[in-house]
Amino acid sequence: AAWDLTMRAGRDLVDTNIAADEEEWVRKYLDDLRTQDQKPRIFGYHRLRTRKSGNTRFMEFHLFVSPDMSVDESHHITQVIKADIRKHLPDADVLIHIEPYDPRRDCEGRP
C-alpha cells in the first residue's frame, strides 16, 4: 500500500503522459474536424504531443488548414478548438501550430 501511495504521489511531481482515454478523445476530436464540412477547411493534424504535470494537461500539435486562410480565421479556429478541448479536459494548456495544407506532402511534411 505504501508503494502504491508513493508511486501515485510521485507521478504528480514529474511529467507523465495524459491518460490513454484522454489522448484517444483528443485524437478522435481532431480527426472529426477533417470530416466536417466547414469553412475554413481543416485538413488534419500531426505531431500531437501530450503530457501531464500535476493537474495540468499540456497538448501541442500542428493543424493543417487552407493555405488561403487569414490570420484572423486561423486564430479564431484555434480558439474554438482550445475551448472544446478544455470543456472535455479542464486545466488543459493547448498550443496549436498552424500550417498551410499542401496535398503534395504527407502528414509529416514529406514529399
Side-chain angles (χ1 to χ4, degrees), residues 31-44:
D31 286 337
D32 288 348
L33 290 175
R34 290 186 306 183
T35 61
Q36 296 174 3
D37 188 23
Q38 62 185 10
K39 301 289 183 211
R41 181 102 165 91
I42 295 172
F43 292 93

mmCIF file with all atom_site columns, all heavy atoms in Angstrom, residues 31-44:
data_model
loop_
_atom_site.group_PDB
_atom_site.id
_atom_site.type_symbol
_atom_site.label_atom_id
_atom_site.label_alt_id
_atom_site.label_comp_id
_atom_site.label_asym_id
_atom_site.label_entity_id
_atom_site.label_seq_id
_atom_site.pdbx_PDB_ins_code
_atom_site.Cartn_x
_atom_site.Cartn_y
_atom_site.Cartn_z
_atom_site.occupancy
_atom_site.B_iso_or_equiv
_atom_site.pdbx_formal_charge
_atom_site.auth_seq_id
_atom_site.auth_comp_id
_atom_site.auth_asym_id
_atom_site.auth_atom_id
_atom_site.pdbx_PDB_model_num
ATOM 1   N N   . ASP A 1 31 ? -9.517  14.237 -35.454 1.00 0.00 ? 31 ASP A N   1
ATOM 2   C CA  . ASP A 1 31 ? -9.868  13.503 -36.677 1.00 0.00 ? 31 ASP A CA  1
ATOM 3   C C   . ASP A 1 31 ? -11.239 13.923 -37.193 1.00 0.00 ? 31 ASP A C   1
ATOM 4   O O   . ASP A 1 31 ? -11.447 14.062 -38.404 1.00 0.00 ? 31 ASP A O   1
ATOM 5   C CB  . ASP A 1 31 ? -9.859  11.997 -36.432 1.00 0.00 ? 31 ASP A CB  1
ATOM 6   C CG  . ASP A 1 31 ? -8.459  11.423 -36.320 1.00 0.00 ? 31 ASP A CG  1
ATOM 7   O OD1 . ASP A 1 31 ? -7.514  12.053 -36.850 1.00 0.00 ? 31 ASP A OD1 1
ATOM 8   O OD2 . ASP A 1 31 ? -8.315  10.355 -35.700 1.00 0.00 ? 31 ASP A OD2 1
ATOM 9   N N   . ASP A 1 32 ? -12.176 14.138 -36.279 1.00 0.00 ? 32 ASP A N   1
ATOM 10  C CA  . ASP A 1 32 ? -13.530 14.540 -36.676 1.00 0.00 ? 32 ASP A CA  1
ATOM 11  C C   . ASP A 1 32 ? -13.562 15.928 -37.321 1.00 0.00 ? 32 ASP A C   1
ATOM 12  O O   . ASP A 1 32 ? -14.444 16.217 -38.133 1.00 0.00 ? 32 ASP A O   1
ATOM 13  C CB  . ASP A 1 32 ? -14.485 14.511 -35.478 1.00 0.00 ? 32 ASP A CB  1
ATOM 14  C CG  . ASP A 1 32 ? -14.819 13.092 -35.035 1.00 0.00 ? 32 ASP A CG  1
ATOM 15  O OD1 . ASP A 1 32 ? -14.506 12.136 -35.777 1.00 0.00 ? 32 ASP A OD1 1
ATOM 16  O OD2 . ASP A 1 32 ? -15.378 12.944 -33.930 1.00 0.00 ? 32 ASP A OD2 1
ATOM 17  N N   . LEU A 1 33 ? -12.602 16.784 -36.995 1.00 0.00 ? 33 LEU A N   1
ATOM 18  C CA  . LEU A 1 33 ? -12.553 18.114 -37.612 1.00 0.00 ? 33 LEU A CA  1
ATOM 19  C C   . LEU A 1 33 ? -12.352 18.017 -39.123 1.00 0.00 ? 33 LEU A C   1
ATOM 20  O O   . LEU A 1 33 ? -12.844 18.845 -39.871 1.00 0.00 ? 33 LEU A O   1
ATOM 21  C CB  . LEU A 1 33 ? -11.424 18.954 -37.006 1.00 0.00 ? 33 LEU A CB  1
ATOM 22  C CG  . LEU A 1 33 ? -11.607 19.420 -35.575 1.00 0.00 ? 33 LEU A CG  1
ATOM 23  C CD1 . LEU A 1 33 ? -10.346 20.141 -35.096 1.00 0.00 ? 33 LEU A CD1 1
ATOM 24  C CD2 . LEU A 1 33 ? -12.819 20.326 -35.433 1.00 0.00 ? 33 LEU A CD2 1
ATOM 25  N N   . ARG A 1 34 ? -11.634 16.987 -39.575 1.00 0.00 ? 34 ARG A N   1
ATOM 26  C CA  . ARG A 1 34 ? -11.372 16.826 -41.012 1.00 0.00 ? 34 ARG A CA  1
ATOM 27  C C   . ARG A 1 34 ? -12.626 16.464 -41.778 1.00 0.00 ? 34 ARG A C   1
ATOM 28  O O   . ARG A 1 34 ? -12.743 16.769 -42.955 1.00 0.00 ? 34 ARG A O   1
ATOM 29  C CB  . ARG A 1 34 ? -10.331 15.737 -41.240 1.00 0.00 ? 34 ARG A CB  1
ATOM 30  C CG  . ARG A 1 34 ? -8.962  16.121 -40.798 1.00 0.00 ? 34 ARG A CG  1
ATOM 31  C CD  . ARG A 1 34 ? -7.983  15.090 -41.180 1.00 0.00 ? 34 ARG A CD  1
ATOM 32  N NE  . ARG A 1 34 ? -8.409  13.785 -40.676 1.00 0.00 ? 34 ARG A NE  1
ATOM 33  C CZ  . ARG A 1 34 ? -7.699  12.685 -40.823 1.00 0.00 ? 34 ARG A CZ  1
ATOM 34  N NH1 . ARG A 1 34 ? -6.577  12.706 -41.482 1.00 0.00 ? 34 ARG A NH1 1
ATOM 35  N NH2 . ARG A 1 34 ? -8.120  11.543 -40.321 1.00 0.00 ? 34 ARG A NH2 1
ATOM 36  N N   . THR A 1 35 ? -13.538 15.778 -41.124 1.00 0.00 ? 35 THR A N   1
ATOM 37  C CA  . THR A 1 35 ? -14.717 15.284 -41.832 1.00 0.00 ? 35 THR A CA  1
ATOM 38  C C   . THR A 1 35 ? -15.867 16.280 -41.825 1.00 0.00 ? 35 THR A C   1
ATOM 39  O O   . THR A 1 35 ? -16.849 16.083 -42.531 1.00 0.00 ? 35 THR A O   1
ATOM 40  C CB  . THR A 1 35 ? -15.198 13.955 -41.220 1.00 0.00 ? 35 THR A CB  1
ATOM 41  O OG1 . THR A 1 35 ? -15.547 14.165 -39.854 1.00 0.00 ? 35 THR A OG1 1
ATOM 42  C CG2 . THR A 1 35 ? -14.112 12.898 -41.319 1.00 0.00 ? 35 THR A CG2 1
ATOM 43  N N   . GLN A 1 36 ? -15.747 17.336 -41.045 1.00 0.00 ? 36 GLN A N   1
ATOM 44  C CA  . GLN A 1 36 ? -16.815 18.329 -41.009 1.00 0.00 ? 36 GLN A CA  1
ATOM 45  C C   . GLN A 1 36 ? -16.752 19.198 -42.254 1.00 0.00 ? 36 GLN A C   1
ATOM 46  O O   . GLN A 1 36 ? -15.683 19.596 -42.696 1.00 0.00 ? 36 GLN A O   1
ATOM 47  C CB  . GLN A 1 36 ? -16.696 19.208 -39.763 1.00 0.00 ? 36 GLN A CB  1
ATOM 48  C CG  . GLN A 1 36 ? -16.885 18.440 -38.482 1.00 0.00 ? 36 GLN A CG  1
ATOM 49  C CD  . GLN A 1 36 ? -16.629 19.306 -37.264 1.00 0.00 ? 36 GLN A CD  1
ATOM 50  O OE1 . GLN A 1 36 ? -16.367 20.498 -37.375 1.00 0.00 ? 36 GLN A OE1 1
ATOM 51  N NE2 . GLN A 1 36 ? -16.723 18.706 -36.094 1.00 0.00 ? 36 GLN A NE2 1
ATOM 52  N N   . ASP A 1 37 ? -17.911 19.476 -42.808 1.00 0.00 ? 37 ASP A N   1
ATOM 53  C CA  . ASP A 1 37 ? -17.978 20.339 -43.990 1.00 0.00 ? 37 ASP A CA  1
ATOM 54  C C   . ASP A 1 37 ? -18.053 21.780 -43.503 1.00 0.00 ? 37 ASP A C   1
ATOM 55  O O   . ASP A 1 37 ? -19.118 22.369 -43.401 1.00 0.00 ? 37 ASP A O   1
ATOM 56  C CB  . ASP A 1 37 ? -19.202 19.986 -44.832 1.00 0.00 ? 37 ASP A CB  1
ATOM 57  C CG  . ASP A 1 37 ? -19.199 20.718 -46.154 1.00 0.00 ? 37 ASP A CG  1
ATOM 58  O OD1 . ASP A 1 37 ? -18.112 21.132 -46.608 1.00 0.00 ? 37 ASP A OD1 1
ATOM 59  O OD2 . ASP A 1 37 ? -20.288 20.887 -46.720 1.00 0.00 ? 37 ASP A OD2 1
ATOM 60  N N   . GLN A 1 38 ? -16.917 22.324 -43.173 1.00 0.00 ? 38 GLN A N   1
ATOM 61  C CA  . GLN A 1 38 ? -16.876 23.665 -42.609 1.00 0.00 ? 38 GLN A CA  1
ATOM 62  C C   . GLN A 1 38 ? -15.961 24.552 -43.450 1.00 0.00 ? 38 GLN A C   1
ATOM 63  O O   . GLN A 1 38 ? -15.115 24.085 -44.175 1.00 0.00 ? 38 GLN A O   1
ATOM 64  C CB  . GLN A 1 38 ? -16.376 23.627 -41.170 1.00 0.00 ? 38 GLN A CB  1
ATOM 65  C CG  . GLN A 1 38 ? -14.962 23.098 -41.046 1.00 0.00 ? 38 GLN A CG  1
ATOM 66  C CD  . GLN A 1 38 ? -14.528 22.958 -39.606 1.00 0.00 ? 38 GLN A CD  1
ATOM 67  O OE1 . GLN A 1 38 ? -15.321 23.083 -38.692 1.00 0.00 ? 38 GLN A OE1 1
ATOM 68  N NE2 . GLN A 1 38 ? -13.262 22.712 -39.403 1.00 0.00 ? 38 GLN A NE2 1
ATOM 69  N N   . LYS A 1 39 ? -16.175 25.801 -43.324 1.00 0.00 ? 39 LYS A N   1
ATOM 70  C CA  . LYS A 1 39 ? -15.311 26.795 -43.947 1.00 0.00 ? 39 LYS A CA  1
ATOM 71  C C   . LYS A 1 39 ? -14.835 27.702 -42.830 1.00 0.00 ? 39 LYS A C   1
ATOM 72  O O   . LYS A 1 39 ? -15.641 28.170 -42.042 1.00 0.00 ? 39 LYS A O   1
ATOM 73  C CB  . LYS A 1 39 ? -16.064 27.626 -44.985 1.00 0.00 ? 39 LYS A CB  1
ATOM 74  C CG  . LYS A 1 39 ? -16.660 26.791 -46.091 1.00 0.00 ? 39 LYS A CG  1
ATOM 75  C CD  . LYS A 1 39 ? -15.615 26.228 -47.002 1.00 0.00 ? 39 LYS A CD  1
ATOM 76  C CE  . LYS A 1 39 ? -16.296 25.473 -48.129 1.00 0.00 ? 39 LYS A CE  1
ATOM 77  N NZ  . LYS A 1 39 ? -15.564 24.390 -48.637 1.00 0.00 ? 39 LYS A NZ  1
ATOM 78  N N   . PRO A 1 40 ? -13.570 27.940 -42.676 1.00 0.00 ? 40 PRO A N   1
ATOM 79  C CA  . PRO A 1 40 ? -12.450 27.433 -43.461 1.00 0.00 ? 40 PRO A CA  1
ATOM 80  C C   . PRO A 1 40 ? -12.201 25.954 -43.202 1.00 0.00 ? 40 PRO A C   1
ATOM 81  O O   . PRO A 1 40 ? -12.562 25.432 -42.156 1.00 0.00 ? 40 PRO A O   1
ATOM 82  C CB  . PRO A 1 40 ? -11.279 28.274 -42.973 1.00 0.00 ? 40 PRO A CB  1
ATOM 83  C CG  . PRO A 1 40 ? -11.636 28.655 -41.598 1.00 0.00 ? 40 PRO A CG  1
ATOM 84  C CD  . PRO A 1 40 ? -13.133 28.791 -41.582 1.00 0.00 ? 40 PRO A CD  1
ATOM 85  N N   . ARG A 1 41 ? -11.575 25.329 -44.154 1.00 0.00 ? 41 ARG A N   1
ATOM 86  C CA  . ARG A 1 41 ? -11.371 23.880 -44.122 1.00 0.00 ? 41 ARG A CA  1
ATOM 87  C C   . ARG A 1 41 ? -10.152 23.503 -43.277 1.00 0.00 ? 41 ARG A C   1
ATOM 88  O O   . ARG A 1 41 ? -9.107  24.119 -43.376 1.00 0.00 ? 41 ARG A O   1
ATOM 89  C CB  . ARG A 1 41 ? -11.173 23.393 -45.552 1.00 0.00 ? 41 ARG A CB  1
ATOM 90  C CG  . ARG A 1 41 ? -10.973 21.930 -45.686 1.00 0.00 ? 41 ARG A CG  1
ATOM 91  C CD  . ARG A 1 41 ? -12.247 21.255 -46.161 1.00 0.00 ? 41 ARG A CD  1
ATOM 92  N NE  . ARG A 1 41 ? -11.972 19.917 -46.611 1.00 0.00 ? 41 ARG A NE  1
ATOM 93  C CZ  . ARG A 1 41 ? -12.033 18.855 -45.815 1.00 0.00 ? 41 ARG A CZ  1
ATOM 94  N NH1 . ARG A 1 41 ? -12.338 18.996 -44.558 1.00 0.00 ? 41 ARG A NH1 1
ATOM 95  N NH2 . ARG A 1 41 ? -11.791 17.662 -46.281 1.00 0.00 ? 41 ARG A NH2 1
ATOM 96  N N   . ILE A 1 42 ? -10.328 22.441 -42.469 1.00 0.00 ? 42 ILE A N   1
ATOM 97  C CA  . ILE A 1 42 ? -9.228  21.855 -41.719 1.00 0.00 ? 42 ILE A CA  1
ATOM 98  C C   . ILE A 1 42 ? -8.903  20.519 -42.377 1.00 0.00 ? 42 ILE A C   1
ATOM 99  O O   . ILE A 1 42 ? -9.782  19.698 -42.597 1.00 0.00 ? 42 ILE A O   1
ATOM 100 C CB  . ILE A 1 42 ? -9.615  21.668 -40.241 1.00 0.00 ? 42 ILE A CB  1
ATOM 101 C CG1 . ILE A 1 42 ? -9.841  23.030 -39.599 1.00 0.00 ? 42 ILE A CG1 1
ATOM 102 C CG2 . ILE A 1 42 ? -8.544  20.874 -39.503 1.00 0.00 ? 42 ILE A CG2 1
ATOM 103 C CD1 . ILE A 1 42 ? -10.413 22.965 -38.217 1.00 0.00 ? 42 ILE A CD1 1
ATOM 104 N N   . PHE A 1 43 ? -7.635  20.315 -42.698 1.00 0.00 ? 43 PHE A N   1
ATOM 105 C CA  . PHE A 1 43 ? -7.229  19.127 -43.444 1.00 0.00 ? 43 PHE A CA  1
ATOM 106 C C   . PHE A 1 43 ? -6.612  18.039 -42.578 1.00 0.00 ? 43 PHE A C   1
ATOM 107 O O   . PHE A 1 43 ? -6.427  16.926 -43.040 1.00 0.00 ? 43 PHE A O   1
ATOM 108 C CB  . PHE A 1 43 ? -6.252  19.509 -44.553 1.00 0.00 ? 43 PHE A CB  1
ATOM 109 C CG  . PHE A 1 43 ? -6.913  20.318 -45.632 1.00 0.00 ? 43 PHE A CG  1
ATOM 110 C CD1 . PHE A 1 43 ? -6.904  21.698 -45.587 1.00 0.00 ? 43 PHE A CD1 1
ATOM 111 C CD2 . PHE A 1 43 ? -7.562  19.695 -46.681 1.00 0.00 ? 43 PHE A CD2 1
ATOM 112 C CE1 . PHE A 1 43 ? -7.525  22.437 -46.575 1.00 0.00 ? 43 PHE A CE1 1
ATOM 113 C CE2 . PHE A 1 43 ? -8.182  20.429 -47.681 1.00 0.00 ? 43 PHE A CE2 1
ATOM 114 C CZ  . PHE A 1 43 ? -8.170  21.808 -47.618 1.00 0.00 ? 43 PHE A CZ  1
ATOM 115 N N   . GLY A 1 44 ? -6.285  18.338 -41.356 1.00 0.00 ? 44 GLY A N   1
ATOM 116 C CA  . GLY A 1 44 ? -5.710  17.325 -40.477 1.00 0.00 ? 44 GLY A CA  1
ATOM 117 C C   . GLY A 1 44 ? -4.751  17.925 -39.476 1.00 0.00 ? 44 GLY A C   1
ATOM 118 O O   . GLY A 1 44 ? -4.671  19.146 -39.310 1.00 0.00 ? 44 GLY A O   1
#
